[in-house]
DNA sequence: TATAATAATGACTAATTAGTCAGTTGTCAA
DNA sequence: TTGACAACTGACTAATTAGTCATTATTATA
């Protein structure tokens, strides 16, 4: 076994027990029976190690699950396989899964946070595609909300089986969640997470690019029905392409459009975007 | 405002941003505009501060929620009030709620962990009582599972509103969750979390006392139908009261009973209990 | 104003940390 | 046997940490 692999395996054990911050490189090297110098031959830093761990395990977990979902042809077994594979995978890599639960929202290393969000987005995509395949048009308005319910189930039941010495029947767990998911998918009428919130959440973690904003603005513009709405959007578009208006005027334009339902989102995004620029220019 | 209160308020801000471990006492005192010594006049240690924070906020959140639930007379508004109060409370104390999400499963200070579990148990109790009041006998077999679904909802939607700059309509969120909860409560047929798992999970975090074991053992004994089952349980009870049998004999007795459905749990608990004793006596 | 009591300070200790690097060891081929 | 190269070591640095304590400042009381 390579040194790198040895370090990763031993480190996972310690991180699962004590967490990333509270585990020192010293401890890791002692646990491996190697010297401190040897560690730094394999990894440039402690951060590089945790990043490597996340990439190794997450890509495997996601691809395992995604494979199960895409190979199934949207029959009644798909949901079951999804849940079963998910929990089986987190049971197999239980130490890593523990790290994931512990560090997911706690880490403050920028690269780490973006890694987590990257894989979280992949998982959301898998779930969304699966649900679309299974229920089609019927869940058009509820599918994003359903993704959150499913994530909630996964999170709370994972915690239960990972951190409590409870003997678990994964088949039963998967069956139980399939029933719940079917119930919710076929009968929910008032979703909370809308398409807008879903996409907004995905954007709020990365820098929203000017191009993305323009795209969304164009869309709102094409849907605009009233003149005030159209002209305000048009002016905002010009200002986005080539800043020319004062902070106060922008604020007014945003107020103009934020009353229209189809402009709520772009108004919100633009306000964030310009506010950011403003403070940066100070 | 007292020094203690000042420190707590400022510390919450920093902990929410950076986490407990990554925030130094130095940083806290600078943020307060006081000296390091002054900090230690109010708190014996950094740990004492976080414990005080948890007690202050958690007791308030739990009692807010519990009050809403118990004052309502199990009408259709109860569930709505529960969810609304819950999210309102976590929005009001958003910095603390963030700390809670970040540190809950990550902390390794023993006292902290037991604090978290204490309040988690209180919340579970509130939810369980509420659901029993609302749905009564109909959810006898599913109620513990429902508690987990509800906790899952709370956890995932809290994360959404706390860590993403998404404008949120709490009324809508509460309504949406009421619908989901009603659906699940009235239609679930295959729960995963049984009464046993629920209680077992609650026990696994505290030291299981001999008295608790005896109580459960008595119950199993009273339900025992076959002779082998009865005698094995009886012998185990004697050994529990006054150890006399060897490790091997105990193992055999446990094997005798673990086949019976009503003994699965006590067998599991006893195995843990005796295994623990054994290793401790070495 | 003088005295006592309390509050607050910040330089200090001792411990721990991530990361470095001059030097040692092991392993091959010539 | 020699030399060259890579793998490895662990004492070291510089920074940071929680917590202490002799000293100083503030306030209340007589």
């Amino acid at each position: 076994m390579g040194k790198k692999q040895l370090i990763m395996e031993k480190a996972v054990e310690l991180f699962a027990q004590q967490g990333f911050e509270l585990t020192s490189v010293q401890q890791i090297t002692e646990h491996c029976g190697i010297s401190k110098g040897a560690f730094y031959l394999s990894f440039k830093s402690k951060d590089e190690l945790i990043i490597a761990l996340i990439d190794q395990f997450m890509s495997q977990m996601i691809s395992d699950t995604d494979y199960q979902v895409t190979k199934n042809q949207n029959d009644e077994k798909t949901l079951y396989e999804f849940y079963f594979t998910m929990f089986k995978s987190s049971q197999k890599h239980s130490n890593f899964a523990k790290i994931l639960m512990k560090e997911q929202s706690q880490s403050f290393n920028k690269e780490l946070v973006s890694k987590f969000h990257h894989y979280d987005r992949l998982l959301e995509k898998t779930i969304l595609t699966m649900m679309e395949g299974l229920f089609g048009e019927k869940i058009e308005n509820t599918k994003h909300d359903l993704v959150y319910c499913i994530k909630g189930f996964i999170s709370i039941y994972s915690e239960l089986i990972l951190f409590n010495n409870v003997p678990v029947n994964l088949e039963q767990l998967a069956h139980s969640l399939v029933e719940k998911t079917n119930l919710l998918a076929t009968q929910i009428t008032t979703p909370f997470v809308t398409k807008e919130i879903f996409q907004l959440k995905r954007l709020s973690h990365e820098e929203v690019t000017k191009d993305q904003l323009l795209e969304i603005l164009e869309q709102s513009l094409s849907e605009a029905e009233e003149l005030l709405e159209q002209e305000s959007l048009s002016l905002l578009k010009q200002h986005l392409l080539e800043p020319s208006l004062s902070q106060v005027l922008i604020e007014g334009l945003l107020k103009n459009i934020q009353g229209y339902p189809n402009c709520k989102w772009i108004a919100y995004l633009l306000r964030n975007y310009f506010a950011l620029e403003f403070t940066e220019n100070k």
Side-chain angles (χ1 to χ4, degrees), chain A:
Chain A
M1 178 166 42
K3 271 277 132 64
K4 210 159 174 171
Q5 197 55 36
L6 171 72
I7 293 171
M8 286 170 85
E9 279 176 26
K10 295 292 183 183
V12 159
E13 293 169 19
L14 293 173
F15 289 161
Q17 277 170 45
Q18 319 174 344
F20 176 67
E21 292 298 338
L22 292 176
T23 302
S24 66
V25 174
Q26 194 89 261
Q27 273 179 284
I28 297 170
T29 57
E30 276 166 20
H31 196 96
C32 292
I34 62 171
S35 71
K36 215 167 174 197
F39 175 91
Y40 285 94
L41 290 177
S42 293
F43 296 96
K44 275 213 280 290
S45 68
K46 200 180 152 191
D47 278 357
E48 200 184 89
L49 167 62
I50 187 83
I51 298 274
L53 282 173
I54 291 164
D55 275 330
Q56 181 175 82
F57 284 101
M58 281 307 281
S59 58
Q60 203 186 321
M61 278 176 87
I62 297 272
S63 61
D64 276 5
T65 312
D66 201 63
Y67 171 75
Q68 278 298 329
V69 169
T70 47
K71 85 165 183 188
N72 275 287
Q73 284 309 303
N74 297 331
D75 51 21
E76 70 272 7
K77 288 219 93 184
T78 309
L79 252 185
Y80 177 85
E81 291 290 346
F82 165 76
Y83 279 121
F84 188 81
T85 313
M86 196 82 215
F87 288 110
K88 195 82 197 172
S89 186
S90 89
Q91 206 175 45
K92 184 174 156 197
H93 310 296
S94 68
N95 274 331
F96 176 75
K98 282 179 191 172
I99 298 174
L100 209 66
M101 299 223 92
K102 287 178 186 191
E103 311 291 336
Q104 195 143 27
S105 52
Q106 118 85 18
S107 171
F108 301 94
N109 175 311
K110 272 207 166 184
E111 200 181 345
L112 252 185
V113 170
S114 85
K115 276 274 167 221
F116 281 131
H117 282 134
H118 170 70
Y119 287 111
D120 190 42
R121 250 175 283 139
L122 288 182
L123 177 63
E124 284 181 355
K125 184 86 193 117
T126 298
I127 298 176
L128 191 63
T129 309
M130 173 181 72
M131 295 300 280
E132 283 170 343
L134 285 172
F135 300 96
E137 278 298 310
K138 284 174 288 181
I139 57 166
E140 190 55 32
N141 295 317
T142 57
K143 62 187 182 188
H144 301 100
D145 197 56
L146 286 166
V147 169
Y148 266 80
C149 293
I150 292 170
K151 279 177 64 180
F153 289 148
I154 291 171
S155 139
I156 206 78
Y157 287 100
S158 289
E159 196 193 291
L160 179 67
I161 64 182
L162 282 172
F163 293 101
N164 302 282
N165 306 321
V166 174
V168 177
N169 182 336
L170 287 193
E171 284 89 0
Q172 204 180 322
L173 174 55
H175 270 126
S176 176
L177 289 179
V178 167
E179 185 191 31
K180 283 163 196 154
T181 309
N182 275 322
L183 267 176
L184 295 177
T186 52
Q187 299 188 43
I188 277 182
T189 61
T190 54
F192 170 69
V193 176
T194 58
K195 182 182 157 202
E196 283 75 25
I197 291 181
F198 192 78
Q199 293 175 337
L200 184 55
K201 182 241 162 187
R202 283 163 156 254
L203 281 177
S204 70
H205 286 292
E206 10 188 352
E207 204 56 12
V208 186
T209 67
K210 197 181 276 190
D211 286 343
Q212 286 174 309
L213 274 178
L214 266 178
E215 200 180 314
I216 299 163
L217 209 160
E218 290 285 3
Q219 203 191 320
S220 300
L221 196 54
S222 71
E223 293 166 356
E225 290 174 351
E226 296 194 28
L227 196 63
L228 174 70
E229 193 184 353
Q230 279 175 12
E231 291 190 345
S232 300
L233 282 170
S234 194
L235 282 169
L236 284 166
K237 183 181 158 190
Q238 277 173 40
H239 178 76
L240 192 60
L241 289 167
E242 196 170 336
S244 55
L245 305 169
S246 75
Q247 200 72 12
V248 188
L249 290 173
I250 295 294
E251 186 55 41
L253 291 174
L254 290 176
K255 287 227 179 70
N256 283 348
I257 62 168
Q258 70 190 6
Y260 300 96
N262 66 315
C263 290
K264 277 237 161 73
W265 189 26
I266 185 67
Y268 178 81
L269 289 178
L270 285 172
R271 177 163 280 124
N272 278 354
Y273 186 75
F274 290 133
L276 198 70
E277 267 202 332
F278 184 65
T279 52
E280 270 175 357
N281 288 344
K282 266 200 173 170

